Every structure is written in structure tokens, then in C-alpha cells.
Amino acid sequence: MNLFLLFIVILVLWGARIHRYGDNFEGYLDHDHTTRINGVFILIVFYAHIRSYMPYNPAWDGVMYHVATGLGQLMVALFLFYSGYGVAYSLAHKPGYVHTMPLKRVAVTWVNFAIAQVLFIIMNLSLSRPFTPAQTAWAFLGWKSIGSSSWYIFAILVLYALTWLAFSIFRNRPWLAFVLNCVLVGGFTVFMWHFKGSATYTYNTLCCYLLGMCYCLARDHFERVYRNAVGYVTALLLTAAIFVLTTKLDHLSFLVFELEAMLFCLLVVQITLFIHLNNPVLHWFGKHLFWVYVLQRLPMLALRELGMADTAPYVYALTCFAATVGLAWLMARLTAPLDAKLAAWSKTWAEYCTKREKREKELSPGKGECPAPEP
């Protein structure tokens, strides 16, 4: 699998551009660019999952294994960071966006996830893999698994719902809404810590979502520091130094790892201010991140049951990768009309809510409309 790491490195370098200091900062958080960065990490996630199904060969797998092990849960931190940033940006720039969240963010994600669970049920029945009705019911919520990776889906669904609640209460006061969201996410983290306990990976990166929102709301303040060369170098070195310190102490508490994950996100943001990825393959994987994530264990489990993982591990890995790409492409195309329909319904609902609130203000002065909160 060291060749897989080489494949990732080639994709990162192919098309990468280095921007001079002082150039416009606009592009580093553009959706296309963050999608490519996510593409890098979903490839690492693929290896992190498949390595548990195939024998480890230090000579052929050692470098890739140590990269994935060294990253640990940091490999998903940016998924949460960019999700938080994207939600906050939409809330700030799209009037009535908060009303679209139950359908556009929560419903679309859950419906697609539920479709994936049906595929896993079919696979489990075909291979006579044991699972109970109760386990299946919980799996549709992402609380338990019948084969697919589910913890991240459960977490992001709850995070979207909590953000919708907070910004519905304080529609015109984004910082108050953010503070309330922090309190709610903090409560959710404690909830997960209580019920998941040793499964720290289910909750030790949740604050990266909040950091993404905070970065969006305070982006001008961050960039004011970065536009000064001394300020940028100081921020970069300070972030790196504290990050290294937390890597030495993250065994003490999951809270230390939360800080480590947030610092990792900031480091990547600071580096990608000037190093921009521009690879179409990475963009494809980032765009199809959801399906790659939830479906990758389908071929991994099925082909392992056939014995391929032990008899021909690298053929197994290549076949699983090709099958995952094919499944992700197919499911994205098949579900696109449904996703578009849900998005259209969410837009209609948002327009209705906005008009209703405007009428309420006209009838009762002092009550706000539903404008986008300013960052």
C-alpha cells in the first residue's frame, strides 16, 4: 500500500500551484479548493479502513501504515471544519438559508445514508452475516453499524440539527447563535462521551465543526493577521508549536485531542493560503466524499468473505478501490434527482418562511425579517 501513498502524493503535486505572499486570499476557502483537500483525506480514510481487513506487510505497507496511524482521527478533522465553514458561510450570505437546513442538510444526508444501509442489508443477507432487527433500526440513525462506517454520519446530522436550532432562535444575531451552538455541541460531546466512552473517535473531533463556523464569522480578523508577513509567520509557527505539544499530551484526555484536531485544521488552512491544489481526480473524490465514505466497506466486507483479502491482498485492495469508485459514481447519479427534489422543496419552504416573517414584521414592527446574518 506504499504505492497507494505514492498515488496520493502524485495527485497532490499534479496541478498544485504556489501563490506568492501578498496575493489575494480569496481562493483558499473556495468550495472547489476545499473539495480537493477533502479528496486527499478521503483517500487516506479508505486506506485506514481497508488495512483492518488485510494482512500487514511492513516492506510494502509500512510507510502508508505509519502515515495513517500518525494522523489517526485527524484525517476526518477537515471534513468537519469545512462543513462548519460552509454552513456558516451559507447562513451569512443566503437569506433564509436557516429554513433550508432541515431538508437540504439533514434530510438529504439521512435519506442517502438510509439508502446505503439498504445496500448493506442486502449484502448481509446474501453473505449470511448476522445482524438483529434492533441493530438494523439503530443503524438507520447511524448510532450502530451493520457494516458501514456510521459514526460520522450520526455526528454530522446532529451538528446540522443543532446549528439549525441555534440560528433559528437567533436568526439576526450570528454571534449569539454561534455561542448557543457551542453550548449545544458541548452538550452533545458530553452525551457522546457518556454513551460511547472508549470509542473516542466518535466525538474527539466535533469541535472542528465549531472552529469552521468561527473561522467564517471571524475570517476578516484571521486574514488581517495573515496579510502581515510577520503576523503570518508568527501565527504559523505558534500554531505548529502548540500542535506538536498537544500530540505529546493527547493521551491525557480527549479534550487535548480536540485542541490538537483544531490546531491541525488551522495549520492546513494556513498552509493552503499559498499552496493550492488543482487536481481533477482529487476534486472527484471530494465531490463524492459521502458515497465513498459510506460505501467503501461494502466491497471490503464482501470480498473478504470470499477470502480474497488473505490470498491476494493487493488485488483485493485494488478491486475494493475500483468497486468503491464505481459504486460512488453510480449512487451519486441515481440519487441526484431525489437530492434535487429535496433541495427544491427546501428552497420553497425557505421562501415561504421569509415571506411570512416579512408580513409579521409589517404587522408588528420590531420583529425581524429573516435576513442573512452578517459575519
Side-chain angles (χ1 to χ4, degrees), residues 150-171:
S150 56
W151 75 266
Y152 179 83
I153 304 302
F154 176 78
I156 203 67
L157 286 172
V158 174
L159 291 173
Y160 286 157
L162 295 179
T163 300
W164 167 77
L165 177 62
F167 280 81
S168 292
I169 294 173
F170 294 111
R171 284 193 300 275

Side-chain angles (χ1 to χ4, degrees), residues 89-351:
Y89 184 88
S90 295
L91 287 166
H93 294 85
K94 300 177 182 178
Y97 182 81
V98 67
H99 298 301
T100 71
M101 290 189 70
L103 281 174
K104 190 171 183 179
R105 289 283 183 172
V106 179
V108 168
T109 303
W110 181 82
V111 168
N112 288 336
F113 180 67
I115 293 171
Q117 299 315 293
V118 173
L119 298 179
F120 276 91
I121 290 173
I122 294 172
M123 181 199 70
N124 289 336
L125 291 172
S126 301
L127 299 176
S128 299
R129 298 182 74 245
F131 63 100
T132 65
Q135 183 184 7
T136 304
W138 283 113
F140 275 92
L141 295 177
W143 184 252
K144 291 188 177 181
S145 173
I146 53 174
S148 67
S149 298
S150 56
W151 75 266
Y152 179 83
I153 304 302
F154 176 78
I156 203 67
L157 286 172
V158 174
L159 291 173
Y160 286 157
L162 295 179
T163 300
W164 167 77
L165 177 62
F167 280 81
S168 292
I169 294 173
F170 294 111
R171 284 193 300 275
N172 302 317
R173 299 180 180 181
W175 278 108
L176 281 178
F178 175 70
V179 170
L180 176 58
N181 200 29
C182 289
V183 173
L184 294 174
V185 172
F188 175 51
T189 303
V190 172
F191 171 85
M192 294 294 287
W193 168 76
H194 177 74
F195 284 98
K196 292 294 186 178
S198 60
T200 55
Y201 62 88
T202 60
Y203 54 86
N204 64 5
T205 52
L206 296 181
C207 287
C208 295
Y209 176 84
L210 292 176
L211 178 64
M213 298 191 72
C214 179
Y215 195 96
C216 181
L217 293 169
R219 178 173 171 172
D220 289 344
H221 300 286
F222 282 99
E223 292 183 354
R224 192 173 296 121
V225 174
Y226 299 152
R227 289 185 189 283
N228 180 286
V230 175
Y232 171 74
V233 173
T234 302
L236 181 64
L237 293 177
L238 185 61
T239 304
I242 302 175
F243 171 73
V244 171
L245 178 62
T246 57
T247 63
K248 308 297 183 182
L249 302 174
D250 59 13
H251 63 281
L252 298 176
S253 169
F254 78 87
L255 294 175
V256 178
F257 190 87
E258 290 272 14
L259 176 60
E260 179 183 337
M262 290 190 288
L263 289 166
F264 178 75
C265 292
L266 282 179
L267 268 177
V268 173
V269 167
Q270 290 165 356
I271 292 170
T272 56
L273 277 169
F274 304 110
I275 301 177
H276 288 207
L277 307 187
N278 191 29
N279 184 284
V281 178
L282 291 178
H283 188 273
W284 188 93
F285 278 100
K287 182 179 178 181
H288 294 83
L289 185 149
F290 173 86
W291 288 113
V292 172
Y293 179 79
V294 299
L295 293 179
Q296 60 186 246
R297 290 188 189 269
L298 197 64
M300 291 178 189
L301 289 168
L303 294 176
R304 186 191 65 170
E305 291 291 328
L306 298 176
M308 185 182 290
D310 294 320
T311 58
Y314 299 111
V315 174
Y316 165 77
L318 183 60
T319 306
C320 286
F321 185 72
T324 299
V325 171
L327 285 169
W329 175 83
L330 178 63
M331 294 308 299
R333 287 182 63 89
L334 291 177
T335 57
L338 177 60
D339 293 349
K341 180 64 69 175
L342 289 172
W345 288 346
S346 71
K347 183 179 179 180
T348 301
W349 174 249
E351 291 172 350

